[in-house]
Amino acid sequence: GKNEIKNTLEGTNNRITEEEDRISEVEDRMVEINEAERKKERIKGNEDNLRDLWDNVKCLNISIIGVPEEEDKKEGHEKILKIDFPKMGKEIASQVQETQRVPNRINPRQNTPRHILIKLTNIKHKEQILKAAREKQQITHEGIPIRITADLSTETLQARRE
């Protein structure tokens, strides 16, 4: 009698101890998971901040898409604005800080002309150009359809697509 009860109690105590150990392991794992989640949230916040910074850096830039590269030999990029926006082109051409062709980031082997990046001195002029481009809807340069857009970071474009 007594021995049986003693054995049963010892067995029960052993099982309780094992279960307590398991519970403790699960609790430790939950702490790790929570920490990982917090890290993930911090990383996401940092990525958002970085994207905002990039967009601020690029806030004076516009992108002209679709102009054949051979046009570069004929005239400066700011002349494209003069031709396509005769009303404000002259004023804006004087507001161009720099222009350049940018490497094709999405698919370097694609046979499309590289985008022209135009850095303006003033955000007001950028907004005027983008507004005029929206109103005009179909912009062509020497008969070829082109697009004028705000130069946004790849991250922002990706986020907008998602």
Side-chain angles (χ1 to χ4, degrees), residues 68-70 104 107-114:
E69 306 233 358
E70 23 319 332
N104 203 334
N107 184 353
R109 287 190 295 290
Q110 202 173 13
N111 199 8
T112 55
R114 291 171 300 159

Side-chain angles (χ1 to χ4, degrees), residues 141-156:
H141 181 72
E142 314 227 331
I144 298 161
I146 64 171
R147 279 189 8 242
I148 296 181
T149 64
D151 178 43
L152 297 168
S153 65
T154 322
E155 294 79 12
T156 298

Side-chain angles (χ1 to χ4, degrees), residues 31 33-44:
V31 167
I33 289 170
N34 287 337
E35 279 173 19
E37 282 300 312
R38 276 198 296 280
K39 273 185 189 161
K40 244 189 235 167
E41 284 167 20
R42 254 201 322 273
I43 289 170
K44 172 114 181 58

Side-chain angles (χ1 to χ4, degrees), residues 70-159:
E70 23 319 332
E71 292 294 309
D72 294 7
K73 291 176 193 80
K74 284 193 236 169
E75 61 210 26
H77 297 143
E78 55 273 358
K79 294 220 178 73
I80 293 167
L81 294 175
K82 275 189 199 163
I83 294 166
D84 294 318
F85 300 101
K87 282 189 201 105
M88 57 188 201
K90 281 189 189 70
E91 182 200 344
I92 282 172
S94 69
Q95 295 298 324
V96 170
Q97 231 177 343
E98 66 176 290
T99 72
Q100 64 183 49
R101 289 274 181 179
V102 289
N104 203 334
R105 290 185 297 219
I106 296 145
N107 184 353
R109 287 190 295 290
Q110 202 173 13
N111 199 8
T112 55
R114 291 171 300 159
H115 298 181
I116 297 171
L117 183 73
I118 296 187
K119 184 174 190 171
L120 300 162
T121 54
N122 186 320
I123 194 148
K124 183 183 82 187
H125 292 98
K126 172 189 175 178
E127 285 163 2
Q128 283 177 333
I129 294 171
L130 292 175
K131 184 174 187 257
R134 278 193 301 274
E135 285 167 1
K136 222 173 170 182
Q137 286 172 344
Q138 181 65 54
I139 305 166
T140 57
H141 181 72
E142 314 227 331
I144 298 161
I146 64 171
R147 279 189 8 242
I148 296 181
T149 64
D151 178 43
L152 297 168
S153 65
T154 322
E155 294 79 12
T156 298
L157 295 171
Q158 188 63 43

Side-chain angles (χ1 to χ4, degrees), residues 1-15:
K2 252 190 194 174
N3 270 351
E4 263 178 56
I5 295 174
K6 191 177 173 201
N7 288 343
T8 307
L9 278 176
E10 275 177 16
T12 305
N13 283 341
N14 287 342
R15 280 201 300 275

